[in-house]
Structure formats: structure tokens, C-alpha cells
């Protein structure tokens, strides 16, 4: 058990370090001749127009919101799915009720037109 | 000094350092990313405490969902990339003082607790904590009610948040 | 597994106080919510540490931690939605400026 | 314990004896052996990624009726190495307005989030990184880090097209994560465990694709969306937003994103094989030896990868509103219904023989698919009628 997590920890560290190696290699080998035009942001080959910080649609945020709630709820379902085998039928119905409440939220958002790209 | 103590101290340093950056850095996107680092440190602690399920859930929920939502919100409420103006209230020294006082009080309480230097009992190898968690969460004798209530809470949050964020479309 | 319980508790206490400082000192409402997240995580560390150190056979601590996840998600969802809604009408996310309801 | 039947333990035992012989303590030797294992797995998967560059180029050429790389080495096999050398010696340009640290961190995290997945992939019954008891959620967690990498890259470039691309990509990825997690619950539920080895072992009787073919389809679709490949590649819709979140990345940093994408596609092919096609099992053939099992697994993963490529090079791109509507109004409800039905059937049919369970579940899936198609057809008809009322024929 503990050694499992030790392995994961080592994996995370090594997995983060190894992708850096080609970057360092590239830094050593590649030419480096910066100039202002090269280093300006790229925009279809034209000069950059206006602020690079654009206000984007609030709809992205609505989807992220719905996602957050669903993400937490599906995470709750994992212990339920694991315990399913050892438990009586009405516990399964408990999970079904849980999913039903989840779907009610989805239906609400749908009916309110929140899932449209308005 | 054993291996797990070293891991604990490293992740504690990560958590405290990133948390300090969260509350002091000027750029809000950076603050959100430092929050991700702090939360990742907490996930390491859960791994150390052999609560594997919580460790991955921490990453899935906090880093995968909550941090993303924060970054979205920061970018939605900003006109430009750089944050301008003072980021703290004028009364920040008072807040710092209060924080330190609370910390001192809590540390005093913790050290005063009986048997606080205890070490953990071994979890027997055959005990499946993830399975036991599932059993506890859905069996009616244990936590079935909080389980259902949580879903109602999330439903309420979803409805409320979607209603507020979408703005009244009447106008 | 030879870390004393007090280490976890002190770490959680410091994290809580840093979060508290963030909540009290920040002007931006989103930054205040970031501080609240830190405080919730401090609580969770305590819950899980007590579960591990007192009685791992009882899953109470972990279940509570999971409920805290749900509460944190709900709090972030509603809190950020409020902030965005206020930003739309007042073009500001500074907590002090949001003083519509003074009574 | 011999080299043929249990190579990992054989080599580990040999290394342990060697290291303790040199005077290392047992714990240190264990950590060192783990480190060697981790290194071999990661370097192996990166070498695989290099090979995948060649596969991808060759296959897309065939789809487009070309020959593909064929100049360097037999069948152009050396071509990816030439590509890498080119990427390394290219000048690395960082925009002056970029947020340097985050800008440089993003590609590393993007590739690393894919590499992390290899820690839990069981290549054979005794060749795997770690048999985690929460592996299914670990898969989701690694995906969350990938999402973070994209938003970091898009934001740090300080380029509006990059930011827009990142937002589209992240909206797609998080949306399609929901049906993916829901259908991940189905093998978890059927196997009664989240460990991937447990899921593979429990498919010894019948592959889950027979019990839950719809779940397999949903997983495949959401995996493609998660990868950001066509038809879900609006992050890099060249005609609209140049190249998505990695516009500003050049040289090896772009290479990391690219390698990450290819390896991610292959890895998800592996996960489809693992969750629904019996992983390293193939009608008892895997018992010949672990190396045979690894070959079986990689072949299945390659098949999954090929299907993902097939989809990519056949389908046109979908518009973002259609894409999100497809997820939230179709895929997510369907996945939830499927989960409820599977859970109930799994519980009710517990006493039956395996073939009975499999048959009933398969038929139920077919029924659900049929009902869904009928509902969609009725909906489509209604939509068309509404369109015709609005715009009578001849007036377009």
C-alpha cells in the first residue's frame, strides 16, 4: 500500500524531470538570436491589433460550472459502484436516487436554456 | 529522520510556501496557480496518510474542476492581463496580526492536547480502505443520509449558480 | 508511519491561518474565495489525520472529508457566480465596492 | 521465479541481491530498483512516442492516398529521429510579453500528464508499474493535470488566439470528462474494483465490450474529445484561430505538446483495450508468457490508436456549440441512463451464469441504442418541419 504511493511519487518526479531534458538539450544546441519582431506575438502574420486580453463569452463559465457540480457528484459515485457487490438491492436504489437528483439539475439547466450557446 | 518524515516536511514546505504565495502574489492567475500547487501538496499528504481515494479525488476535484473554475472567473472579470492597483486592504497588518494570534492560539491548543505526539497504528494489509469507504458511504446504518444530502446540496448549488451567473435575461 | 499527529495538526493550523489572512487582507473578491479554499483544505487535513491516527477502521473522517469536498464545490460555484454577476452590473470585483446591501 | 515467467521480479531480485551485496540497505535498494523501473517505463513510453510519429505520418498518408515518409531508412523508419533533431536545433522563441515561467512549464506538464498514465497501465499480469486500488480515478486525475497545462500554455502566451484556443479546448475537455467518468464507473461496477489489473482479470470470462458496447462507444468518443483530435480539434482550427493554444510555441516546446498528443492517443487506445477488450488477455494466449501478453496488449492498444486516427482523418470538424450540445444533451444523459441500467441489471442478475448475464446486458444495450436512435430521429424530423415552416421550399 505505502510502497504503491512511493512508486507513484517517484513516477511523478521522474515524469516531470524527463520532459525537461530535451528542452535543456535544445537550449544548448539551438541558435538564439532574438529581435523584437520575432518576439512579438503572432497574429496571422499581421501586426497585433488591440489588447491581447480579450473578454470571452460567459458561456464558457456556465459550462465549467455545470461541469464542476457533475464532477463532484460522479466522484461520489465511485465508492457506491465499488460497494455495490456486497450490498442489498435498496442500496443500489440509493445510488439511483442520487443519479436522479443529478439529472434533475441537468434538466433544470437544459430547460433554462443554459446549455445553449446563446 | 525517516523517509516518510522527509516527504512530510517537503510537502509541508510546498503547502505553506504556495499558500503564502496565494495570499500575497499580485497577479490573480498566479494566485490561482499557486493554489493548485498548495492543493497538490495536500494530495501528497493524503497519500502519506494512506487515504488514496482522497488523494486522487483532491486532484480531480480541486485541480481539475475548482482551480479551472477560478481561472475562468479571473479571466472573465478582468479587462487586462496585468492586475493594477493595490491588491490588499489598508488594514492588512491587522489581518496579519489576527492570523498570527489565531495561529499561536491553535498551536498552543494542539500542543496542550493529551497524547498528541502519538504515531499512527498500522492498517492491516487485508483491510481495503476504499471498499470500506464505499460501504460506509452508502449503508443506511452509516452515512447514507449525508450522501444523499450532499447530492441535494450540489443540486441547489447548481441551480443557484447557473441562475445567478446567467443573469436575468428579461432585459 | 512515524510522523507524530501534532505535525499534521500544526501544519493544518498554519494553513488555516494563512487562509484567514488572505480572506481578511485581500481586496479582490476572487482572492478572498481563494483564501476560503485554503481554510477548507486545512480542515480536511485535520479530518483525515484524525481518521488515520485514531481509528482507521471507522471511515467517519474520510466520509466527512468527502462531504467537505462537496461543500467546497458548492461554495465555489455559488460564490464565483455571485462575483461574476456583480461584476456584470458594477464592473468591479473589489469586495469593498460591493455595498449594495448596507442594512 | 525465472526470467521467462516473471521477468520483473527476476530482474528486481537480481538487482536487489547485487545492490545489497554492495552494502546498500534494503530500503535504499528497494527505492533504487523502483527508480530503475520508473525510468525504464518512462523512457520506454517516450521511445514509443517517437515511433508513433512515424506511425501517424505513415497512416495519414495512406488515408490520403499518399506514400508518406520513405526516404530515410527502410520505410522511412528513421524519419522521426530526423524530425527530433530538427526540433532540437530550431530556435526557441519566447514572446516578450509572455509569462516566462508558466510559459515554459506548460509543455512539460502537458507531456508529463500523459506519461503519468503509464504508471497504472498493466502491460501483463505481472508487468505493470503499480496496481493502484484507485487507478480509474487516477486516470481522471492525470487528465485534470493535462487540462491545467493547456490553460497555462494558452494564458501565458499572451496571445488572444492562444487564449481563445485554450478556452475552447478546456471547455471541450471538461465537458467530455463527465460522460467519460460515468462510463468509467461501468467497468468499475462490473468488476467491483478500481484497480486496472482487477478489471482486466475479471474479463477472463467475457470482455466488457459484450456487456456494455454502448459504454465502450461513449468512452471512445469522449476519449477522442479529451485528446482534442478531429472531429473535436477546434483548439487548432487553423482557419479560425491559427493553431490554438500552442501558437507561440516553437522548437522542442511544440515538440513536447505534439509528442504528448500522440502518446495520449495511443494510451487511450490502450485504456479502451484495457477496460472493454480484456487488456492483455486473448483467449488464453497470454498464458504463454508475459512477453506474449505485452505484445497482445500493445497490439490491442495500437488497434485502438488506429481507430482514433481513422476517426480523425475521416470526420470534418464540429462547431463548438454543436460539440457542447452533443455532450450535455446527448452523451451525458445517455451515459447516466446506461449506468443506472447496468447497476440494476448487475444486481438483479447476480445469480445467473455468465453467458446469461452477458446476453441480457448486450440485448439491453441494443434496446437502449435503438430507443435513442428512434428519439433522435423523431427529434430530427420535428426540427426539419420547424425549419420548413420558417423557410418554405425554394426560399433559401
Amino acid at each position: 500500500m505505502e510502497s504503491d504511493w512511493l512508486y507513484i511519487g517517484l513516477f511523478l518526479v521522474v515524469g516531470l524531470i524527463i520532459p525537461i531534458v530535451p528542452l535543456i538539450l535544445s537550449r544548448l544546441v539551438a541558435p538564439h538570436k532574438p529581435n523584437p519582431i520575432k518576439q512579438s506575438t503572432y497574429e496571422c502574420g499581421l501586426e497585433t491589433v488591440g489588447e491581447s486580453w480579450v473578454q470571452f463569452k460567459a458561456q464558457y463559465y456556465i459550462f465549467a460550472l455545470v461541469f464542476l457540480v457533475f464532477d463532484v457528484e460522479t466522484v461520489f459515485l465511485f465508492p457506491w459502484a465499488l460497494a455495490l457487490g456486497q450490498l442489498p438491492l435498496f442500496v443500489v436504489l440509493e445510488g439511483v436516487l442520487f443519479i436522479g437528483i443529478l439529472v434533475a439539475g441537468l434538466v433544470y439547466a437544459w430547460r433554462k436554456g443554459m446549455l445553449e450557446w446563446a | 529522520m525517516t523517509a516518510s518524515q522527509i516527504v512530510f516536511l517537503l510537502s509541508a514546505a510546498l503547502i505553506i510556501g504556495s499558500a503564502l504565495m496565494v495570499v500575497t502574489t499580485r497577479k490573480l492567475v498566479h494566485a490561482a496557480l499557486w493554489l493548485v500547487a498548495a492543493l497538490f501538496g495536500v494530495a501528497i499528504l493524503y497519500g502519506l496518510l494512506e487515504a488514496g481515494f482522497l488523494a486522487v479525488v483532491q486532484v480531480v476535484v480541486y485541480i481539475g474542476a475548482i482551480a479551472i473554475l477560478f481561472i475562468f472567473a479571473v479571466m472573465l472579470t478582468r479587462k487586462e492581463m496585468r492586475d493594477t492597483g493595490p491588491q490588499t486592504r489598508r488594514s492588512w497588518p491587522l489581518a496579519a496580526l489576527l492570523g498570527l494570534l489565531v495561529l499561536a492560539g491553535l498551536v498552543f491548543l494542539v500542543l496542550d492536547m493529551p497524547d498528541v505526539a502519538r504515531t499512527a497504528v498500522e492498517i492491516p494489509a487485508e483491510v481495503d480502505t476504499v471498499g470500506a469507504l464505499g460501504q460506509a458511504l452508502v449503508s443506511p446504518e452509516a452515512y447514507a443520509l449525508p450522501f444523499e444530502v450532499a447530492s441535494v446540496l450540489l443540486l441547489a448549488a447548481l441551480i443557484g449558480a447557473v441562475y445567478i451567473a446567467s443573469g436575468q435575461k428579461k432585459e | 508511519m512515524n510522523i507524530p499527529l501534532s505535525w499534521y495538526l500544526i501544519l493544518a493550523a498554519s494553513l488555516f491561518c494563512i487562509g484567514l489572512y488572505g480572506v481578511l487582507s485581500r481586496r479582490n473578491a476572487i482572492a478572498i474565495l481563494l483564501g476560503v479554499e485554503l481554510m477548507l483544505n486545512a480542515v480536511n487535513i485535520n479530518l483525515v489525520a484524525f481518521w488515520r491516527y485514531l481509528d482507521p477502521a471507522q471511515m467517519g473522517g474520510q466520509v466527512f472529508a468527502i462531504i467537505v469536498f462537496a461543500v467546497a464545490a458548492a461554495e465555489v460555484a455559488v460564490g464565483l457566480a455571485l462575483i461574476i454577476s456583480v461584476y456584470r452590473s458594477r464592473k468591479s470585483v473589489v469586495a469593498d465596492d460591493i455595498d449594495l446591501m448596507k442594512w | 521465479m525465472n526470467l521467462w515467467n516473471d521477468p520483473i521480479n527476476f530482474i528486481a531480485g537480481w538487482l536487489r541481491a547485487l545492490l545489497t551485496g554492495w552494502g546498500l540497505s534494503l530500503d535504499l535498494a528497494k527505492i533504487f530498483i523502483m527508480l530503475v523501473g520508473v525510468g525504464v517505463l518512462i523512457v520506454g513510453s517516450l521511445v514509443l512516442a517517437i515511433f508513433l510519429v512515424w506511425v501517424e505520418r505513415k497512416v495519414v498518408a495512406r488515408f490520403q492516398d499518399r506514400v508518406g515518409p520513405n526516404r530515410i531508412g527502410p520505410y522511412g523508419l528513421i524519419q522521426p529521429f530526423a524530425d527530433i533533431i530538427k526540433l532540437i536545433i530550431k530556435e526557441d522563441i519566447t514572446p516578450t510579453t509572455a509569462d516566462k515561467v508558466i510559459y515554459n512549464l506548460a509543455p512539460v506538464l502537458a507531456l508529463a500528464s500523459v506519461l503519468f498514465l503509464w504508471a497504472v497501465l498493466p502491460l501483463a499480469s505481472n508487468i505493470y508499474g503499480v496496481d493502484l486500488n484507485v487507478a480509474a480515478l487516477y486516470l481522471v486525475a492525470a487528465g485534470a493535470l493535462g487540462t491545467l497545462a493547456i490553460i497555462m500554455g494558452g494564458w501565458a502566451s499572451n496571445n488572444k488566439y492562444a487564449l481563445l484556443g485554450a478556452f475552447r479546448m478546456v471547455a471541450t475537455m471538461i465537458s467530455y470528462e463527465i460522460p467519460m467518468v460515468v462510463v468509467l464507473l461501468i467497468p468499475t461496477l462490473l468488476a467491483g474494483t478500481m484497480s486496472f489489473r482487477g478489471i482486466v482479470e475479471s474479463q477472463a470470462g467475457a470482455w466488457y465490450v459484450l456487456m456494455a458496447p454502448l459504454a465502450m462507444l461513449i468512452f471512445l468518443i469522449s476519449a477522442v474529445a479529451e485528446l482534442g483530435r478531429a472531429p473535436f480539434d477546434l483548439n487548432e482550427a487553423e482557419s479560425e484561430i491559427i493553431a490554438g493554444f500552442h501558437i507561440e510555441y516553437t522548437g522542442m516546446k511544440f515538440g513536447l505538446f505534439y509528442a504528448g498528443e500522440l502518446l495520449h492517443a495511443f494510451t487511450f487506445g490502450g485504456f479502451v483495450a484495457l477496460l472493454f477488450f480484456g487488456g492483455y488477455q486473448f483467449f488464453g494466449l497470454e498464458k504463454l508468457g508475459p512477453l506474449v501478453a505485452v505484445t497482445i496488449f500493445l497490439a490491442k492498444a495500437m488497434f485502438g490508436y488506429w481507430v482514433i486516427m481513422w476517426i480523425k482523418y475521416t470526420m470534418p470538424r464540429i462547431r463548438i456549440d454543436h460539440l457542447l450540445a452533443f455532450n450535455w444533451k446527448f452523451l451525458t444523459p445517455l451515459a447516466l441512463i446506461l449506468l443506472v441500467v447496468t447497476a440494476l441489471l448487475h444486481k438483479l442478475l447476480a445469480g445467473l451464469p455468465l453467458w446469461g448475464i452477458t446476453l441480457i446486458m448486450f440485448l439491453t444495450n441494443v434496446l437502449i441504442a435503438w430507443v435513442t436512435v428512434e428519439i433522435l430521429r423523431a427529434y430530427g424530423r420535428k426540427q426539419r418541419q420547424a425549419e420548413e415552416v420558417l423557410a418554405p421550399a425554394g426560399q433559401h
Side-chain angles (χ1 to χ4, degrees):
Chain A
M1 204 32 227
E2 207 179 324
S3 70
D4 279 5
W5 288 102
L6 184 62
Y7 186 89
I8 292 285
L10 285 177
F11 206 98
L12 297 189
V13 173
V14 177
L16 270 176
I17 291 173
I18 285 190
I20 298 177
V21 173
L23 289 187
I24 294 172
L25 208 65
S26 169
R27 174 63 57 89
L28 293 178
V29 180
H32 189 64
K33 295 192 198 78
N35 70 48
I37 291 180
K38 202 190 274 177
Q39 287 191 305
S40 65
T41 45
Y42 175 74
E43 210 168 271
C44 303
L46 297 170
E47 297 241 336
T48 309
V49 180
E51 276 283 319
S52 60
W53 191 257
V54 283
Q55 189 94 31
F56 62 92
K57 280 179 89 75
Q59 203 61 29
Y60 286 111
Y61 181 76
I62 304 280
F63 282 107
L65 206 65
V66 180
F67 158 74
L68 168 67
V69 171
F70 270 75
D71 200 38
V72 176
E73 299 226 16
T74 45
V75 159
F76 269 60
L77 284 173
F78 271 95
W80 168 74
L82 285 183
L84 207 63
Q86 294 98 36
L87 294 167
L89 184 64
F90 71 90
V91 176
V92 181
L93 296 178
E94 231 173 69
V96 174
L97 175 67
F98 189 90
I99 296 173
I101 297 173
L102 182 65
V103 170
L106 185 65
V107 170
Y108 173 83
W110 191 340
R111 290 284 297 276
K112 275 276 166 185
M114 295 306 131
L115 301 182
E116 314 294 334
W117 195 258
Chain B
M1 201 63 119
T2 64
S4 47
Q5 283 178 339
I6 295 171
V7 173
F8 176 89
L9 290 178
L10 285 178
S11 45
L14 172 69
I15 294 171
I16 297 293
S18 328
L20 282 173
M21 291 307 287
V22 170
V23 295
T24 53
T25 188
R26 285 175 50 81
K27 280 189 197 169
L28 265 184
V29 175
H30 282 191
L33 291 174
W34 279 114
L35 180 76
V36 168
L39 298 178
F40 195 81
V42 175
I44 298 173
L45 283 192
Y46 291 159
L48 207 58
L49 284 165
E50 292 175 63
F53 182 72
L54 288 180
V56 280
V57 168
Q58 172 88 6
V59 176
V60 170
V61 170
Y62 270 110
I63 298 179
I66 292 183
I68 298 283
L69 204 66
F70 265 113
I71 294 175
F72 272 33
V74 172
M75 293 180 178
L76 248 182
T77 56
R78 215 109 281 259
K79 276 267 177 277
E80 60 221 50
M81 186 176 174
R82 317 280 168 210
D83 298 81
T84 49
Q87 286 296 309
T88 50
R89 289 169 203 278
R90 250 168 292 135
S91 60
W92 71 266
L94 204 66
L97 186 69
L98 191 67
L100 283 176
L101 278 180
V102 173
L103 178 63
L106 281 176
V107 169
F108 181 73
L109 270 179
V110 164
L111 293 181
D112 206 36
M113 226 173 70
D115 196 19
V116 75
R118 67 159 72 202
T119 48
V121 283
E122 279 294 322
I123 297 181
E126 71 275 5
V127 174
D128 171 22
T129 49
V130 182
L133 179 64
Q135 300 262 355
L137 207 55
V138 287
S139 62
E141 305 88 73
Y143 301 99
L145 190 64
F147 177 66
E148 297 294 333
V149 169
S151 80
V152 177
L153 170 75
L154 287 170
L155 173 69
L158 175 64
I159 292 177
V162 164
Y163 183 76
I164 299 167
S166 62
Q168 287 72 19
K169 289 199 169 169
K170 281 170 231 135
E171 37 185 344
Chain C
M1 269 298 117
N2 34 22
I3 304 165
L5 177 59
S6 52
W7 289 21
Y8 283 103
L9 298 184
I10 289 175
L11 173 65
S14 349
L15 190 57
F16 185 86
C17 292
I18 294 172
L20 185 68
Y21 167 74
V23 170
L24 292 177
S25 69
R26 285 288 199 158
R27 294 180 75 233
N28 189 312
I30 295 175
I32 292 176
L33 278 185
L34 289 174
V36 174
E37 287 311 304
L38 290 179
M39 292 163 81
L40 283 170
N41 265 276
V43 173
N44 255 4
I45 293 177
N46 269 357
L47 285 173
V48 180
F50 277 124
W51 161 77
R52 181 68 185 80
Y53 279 78
L54 296 184
D55 190 1
Q58 287 286 326
M59 300 310 290
Q62 285 212 32
V63 173
F64 270 100
I66 289 185
I67 302 289
V68 172
F69 280 126
V71 173
E75 172 252 343
V76 168
V78 177
L80 288 179
L82 277 173
I83 292 170
I84 286 186
S85 173
V86 169
Y87 174 76
R88 278 210 192 127
S89 54
R90 313 207 78 192
K91 294 284 164 229
S92 164
V93 283
V94 176
D96 291 338
D97 294 352
I98 305 166
D99 52 2
L100 280 170
M101 282 199 274
K102 273 189 175 159
W103 52 88
Chain D
M1 202 201 284
N2 63 38
L3 189 60
W4 174 250
N5 282 324
D6 198 354
I8 298 290
N9 269 330
F10 182 81
I11 295 169
W14 175 75
L15 263 178
R16 186 155 54 234
L18 185 73
L19 289 172
T20 44
W22 284 351
L24 246 60
S25 77
L26 194 62
D27 280 342
L28 267 179
K30 264 186 193 157
I31 291 179
F32 186 79
I33 291 166
M34 265 187 197
L35 214 54
V36 170
V38 168
V40 168
L41 200 52
I42 289 181
V43 171
S45 51
L46 280 175
V47 170
L48 186 71
I50 295 171
F51 172 65
L52 290 178
V53 176
W54 176 80
V55 172
E56 179 93 16
R57 292 183 65 173
K58 211 68 183 169
V59 171
V60 62
R62 291 296 173 183
F63 273 113
Q64 297 166 347
D65 210 4
R66 294 185 283 119
V67 180
N70 63 349
R71 295 299 171 90
I72 313 176
Y75 305 104
L77 259 172
I78 311 295
Q79 182 68 42
F81 292 97
D83 289 350
I84 288 174
I85 292 170
K86 181 202 131 184
L87 283 174
I88 285 182
I89 59 174
K90 268 214 147 185
E91 179 173 357
D92 172 40
I93 304 169
T94 309
T96 32
T97 47
D99 196 316
K100 297 279 177 327
V101 178
I102 299 177
Y103 179 83
N104 288 322
L105 204 59
V108 174
L109 195 61
L111 181 57
S113 76
V114 182
L115 289 177
F116 291 165
L117 292 173
W118 283 75
V120 294
L121 269 183
L123 300 171
S125 64
N126 49 18
I127 300 181
Y128 53 85
V130 57
D131 188 25
L132 210 59
N133 61 353
V134 287
L137 269 174
Y138 178 86
L139 161 67
V140 184
L145 291 180
T147 315
L148 194 69
I150 286 168
I151 207 165
M152 280 163 65
W155 180 78
S157 302
N158 196 9
N159 177 318
K160 56 187 116 167
Y161 292 98
L163 190 63
L164 197 57
F167 268 102
R168 285 181 172 195
M169 178 89 176
V170 168
T172 314
M173 283 174 86
I174 62 177
S175 294
Y176 279 82
E177 198 179 311
I178 298 298
M180 195 176 90
V181 177
V182 173
V183 293
L184 258 179
L185 277 161
I186 289 175
T188 306
L189 186 150
L190 291 172
T193 173
M194 271 196 263
S195 117
F196 281 143
R197 213 163 66 93
I199 289 175
V200 170
E201 297 289 338
S202 70
Q203 295 180 64
W207 293 356
Y208 286 152
V209 67
L210 295 175
M211 290 193 196
L214 276 182
M216 192 277 290
L217 277 179
I218 295 176
F219 187 83
L220 188 66
I221 293 172
S222 41
V224 173
E226 189 86 359
L227 296 167
R229 305 202 111 196
F232 304 109
D233 64 340
L234 19 87
N235 63 311
E236 45 188 75
E238 290 89 349
S239 46
E240 302 162 27
I241 50 172
I242 321 178
F245 64 92
H246 53 59
I247 303 171
E248 299 290 353
Y249 286 94
T250 53
M252 204 56 219
K253 285 179 197 156
F254 167 75
L256 291 188
F257 276 121
Y258 189 63
E261 188 196 319
L262 292 184
L263 192 61
H264 205 178
F266 181 84
T267 314
F268 265 92
F271 279 120
V272 172
L274 190 84
L275 293 165
F276 297 101
F277 289 92
Y280 47 79
Q281 294 175 342
F282 195 76
F283 306 114
L285 211 62
E286 76 279 1
K287 298 209 175 64
L288 283 179
L291 290 181
V292 180
V294 172
T295 315
I296 291 171
F297 176 74
L298 289 181
K300 283 181 179 175
M302 190 53 90
F303 179 74
Y305 176 50
W306 182 77
V307 170
I308 291 173
M309 276 193 285
W310 183 19
I311 296 171
K312 171 167 178 172
Y313 295 117
T314 311
M315 301 285 194
R317 186 178 304 129
I318 301 176
R319 229 168 69 190
I320 180 139
D321 54 334
H322 292 172
L323 185 99
L324 293 175
F326 178 68
N327 175 65
W328 288 109
K329 296 181 181 174
F330 178 73
L331 226 47
T332 304
L334 184 63
L336 286 170
I337 290 169
L338 209 58
L339 175 64
V340 169
V341 170
T342 312
L344 287 176
L345 281 182
H346 180 65
K347 201 68 213 174
L348 291 173
L349 301 176
L352 260 62
L354 185 66
W355 64 268
I357 299 177
T358 311
L359 188 68
I360 294 176
M361 284 203 174
F362 184 76
L363 290 178
T364 318
N365 266 270
V366 171
L367 185 72
I368 293 176
W370 181 69
V371 170
T372 317
V373 169
E374 280 303 312
I375 291 174
L376 282 183
R377 190 175 289 162
Y379 177 75
R381 205 175 293 134
K382 224 167 73 187
Q383 286 285 88
R384 268 197 305 279
Q385 276 164 1
E387 293 274 314
E388 277 162 17
V389 169
L390 278 176
Q395 270 187 23
H396 286 298

